[in-house]
């Protein structure tokens, strides 16, 4: 049962653009009534994970390197770093090169098995359950993960418990103010559902459960004992790997996928100056 009140500002939640979608009247926070199915076999039949990784790798690695630059500028230059939901380990590799003692957590058993073969320090399970009571980290990072977590308040409490006194929490997540998200909302109002549903990852093993803006993620952090010390934008689209990224769920026919690639390629230069669909927030414990 989902609360009728916003977990960010405690205002009323109202029905959104779909039977599963809800919005806050006050701060604009959005949520979905989905159930994650991370290790259920049938849920994974909709995804070609190899294609998904191929389509995302160039963009993610570029963003991860940028994010590490910002982390180092914000405080910790070395120390213990925890990557929650580390997936294929790309951020762990980049963090190790930067000099961090990097540890990952990955709940998806199949992805975990592949990632551990690359000699990375990864634990299978959920945050913070797989951590020792006394374990502390100088940096805790959620890369495209926080928006998938059902109980975000408990997660933030876990971060407070497992961060060192001067440690930083880094959230890298999609933005409800982004260019493509706004277009998807408009199309949804016109009863063209597929783009909006895709951005929420409806029907996939780990759908999006939350959508934040830069403003309301700051409100959430402040209400739960964190003070934001930095924020910014990351790239949401790169032409390299775009077709593979669009195609990994195989939900559209080939001509439609080709048309989508063409349209995105045409408007790509404009997206560089429009509000980004990916934002990051860096905070410390109050």
């Amino acid at each position: 049962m989902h609360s009728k009140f916003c977990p960010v500002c405690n205002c009323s939640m109202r029905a959104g653009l779909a039977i599963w979608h809800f919005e806050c009247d006050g701060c604009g926070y959005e949520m979905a009534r989905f159930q994650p199915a991370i290790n259920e076999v049938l849920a994974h039949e909709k995804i070609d994970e190899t294609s998904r990784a191929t389509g995302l790798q160039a963009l993610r690695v570029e963003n991860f390197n940028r994010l590490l630059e910002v982390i180092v500028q914000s405080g910790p230059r070395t120390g213990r770093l925890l990557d929650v939901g580390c997936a294929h380990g790309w951020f762990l590799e980049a963090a190790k090169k930067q000099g961090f003692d990097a540890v990952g957590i990955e709940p998806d058993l199949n992805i975990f098995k592949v990632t551990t073969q690359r000699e990375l320090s990864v634990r299978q399970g959920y945050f913070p359950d797989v951590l020792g009571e006394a374990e502390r980290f100088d940096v805790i990072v959620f890369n495209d993960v926080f928006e998938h977590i059902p109980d975000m308040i408990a997660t933030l409490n876990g971060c407070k418990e497992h961060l060192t006194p001067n440690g930083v929490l880094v959230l890298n997540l999609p933005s409800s103010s982004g260019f493509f998200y706004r277009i998807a909302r408009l199309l949804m109002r016109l009863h063209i559902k597929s783009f909006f549903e895709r951005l929420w990852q409806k029907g996939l093993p780990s759908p999006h459960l939350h959508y934040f803006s830069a403003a309301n993620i700051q409100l959430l952090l402040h209400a739960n004992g964190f003070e934001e010390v930095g924020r910014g934008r990351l790239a949401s689209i790169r032409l390299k790997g775009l077709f593979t990224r669009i195609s990994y769920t195989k939900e559209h026919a080939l001509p439609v996928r080709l048309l989508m690639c063409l349209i995105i390629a045409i408007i790509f230069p404009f997206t560089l100056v429009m509000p980004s669909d990916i934002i990051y927030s860096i905070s410390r414990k109050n």
Side-chain angles (χ1 to χ4, degrees), residues 83-265:
D83 183 10
V84 182
C86 64
H88 302 281
W90 301 326
F91 188 81
L92 289 176
E93 288 182 329
K96 286 177 65 177
K97 290 178 182 177
Q98 186 68 45
F100 286 99
D101 176 13
V103 178
I105 297 175
E106 176 51 47
D108 188 307
L109 183 58
N110 290 328
I111 294 178
F112 164 77
K113 289 177 179 178
V114 174
T115 303
T116 52
Q117 292 175 1
R118 298 168 55 206
E119 299 183 354
L120 295 170
S121 177
V122 184
R123 304 176 194 179
Q124 198 273 323
Y126 292 89
F127 173 87
D129 302 345
V130 297
L131 298 178
E133 185 176 339
E135 281 193 276
R136 299 293 182 269
F137 297 88
D138 300 289
V139 184
I140 297 180
V141 184
F142 292 78
N143 282 311
D144 301 289
V145 169
F146 192 76
E147 67 275 14
H148 298 271
I149 294 176
D151 194 339
M152 56 187 178
I153 306 302
T155 297
L156 290 174
N157 286 334
C159 291
K160 284 188 291 187
E161 181 179 345
H162 290 283
L163 275 170
T164 59
N166 293 315
V168 296
L169 170 64
V170 182
L171 303 180
N172 160 18
L173 69 176
S175 170
S176 59
S177 301
F179 175 68
F180 287 105
Y181 189 75
R182 290 180 177 181
I183 289 176
R185 282 184 60 97
L186 174 62
L187 292 173
M188 188 70 175
R189 293 184 185 278
L190 298 174
H191 305 291
I192 302 173
K193 301 179 180 181
S194 61
F195 299 100
F196 190 69
E197 291 178 348
R198 176 64 179 270
L199 288 181
W200 280 91
Q201 299 189 10
K202 180 177 182 286
L204 298 186
S206 184
H208 288 175
L209 304 180
H210 320 281
Y211 249 95
F212 297 97
S213 66
N216 57 37
I217 195 65
Q218 182 182 26
L219 285 175
L220 177 71
L221 289 165
H222 183 74
N224 288 276
F226 287 90
E227 195 66 35
E228 191 176 61
V229 297
R231 66 166 67 172
R233 57 180 282 162
L234 297 169
S236 58
I237 291 290
R238 283 291 177 265
L239 297 183
K240 182 179 180 180
L242 179 61
F243 179 75
T244 305
R245 182 180 177 185
I246 288 173
S247 301
Y248 76 81
T249 61
K250 302 178 181 179
E251 59 186 315
H252 298 293
L254 178 60
V256 175
R257 285 179 274 150
L258 291 171
L259 179 61
M260 290 169 65
C261 280
L262 177 61
I263 292 172
I264 292 174

Side-chain angles (χ1 to χ4, degrees), residues 1-15 22-32 150 152-153 176 209-213 215-221 223-224:
M1 181 70 68
H2 290 278
S3 172
K4 295 180 181 179
F5 299 100
C6 174
V8 176
C9 69
N10 209 38
C11 288
S12 297
M13 297 292 292
R14 59 180 171 82
F22 300 86
E23 302 176 89
C24 174
D25 285 326
C27 68
Y29 160 78
E30 300 178 40
M31 59 166 282
M152 56 187 178
I153 306 302
S176 59
L209 304 180
H210 320 281
Y211 249 95
F212 297 97
S213 66
N216 57 37
I217 195 65
Q218 182 182 26
L219 285 175
L220 177 71
L221 289 165
N224 288 276

Side-chain angles (χ1 to χ4, degrees), residues 4-51:
K4 295 180 181 179
F5 299 100
C6 174
V8 176
C9 69
N10 209 38
C11 288
S12 297
M13 297 292 292
R14 59 180 171 82
L17 301 181
I19 193 171
W20 47 265
H21 179 246
F22 300 86
E23 302 176 89
C24 174
D25 285 326
C27 68
Y29 160 78
E30 300 178 40
M31 59 166 282
R33 185 178 287 155
F34 293 144
Q35 286 295 118
I38 291 176
N39 286 309
E40 294 183 15
V41 175
L42 290 178
H44 284 269
E45 291 181 352
K46 298 180 180 180
I47 293 181
D48 182 338
E49 185 58 43
T50 301
S51 294

Side-chain angles (χ1 to χ4, degrees), residues 269-286:
F270 301 99
T271 67
L272 300 178
V273 295
M274 298 298 288
S276 178
D277 283 75
I278 302 293
I279 57 175
Y280 67 82
S281 171
I282 299 179
S283 59
R284 286 194 174 93
K285 292 187 291 184
N286 283 335

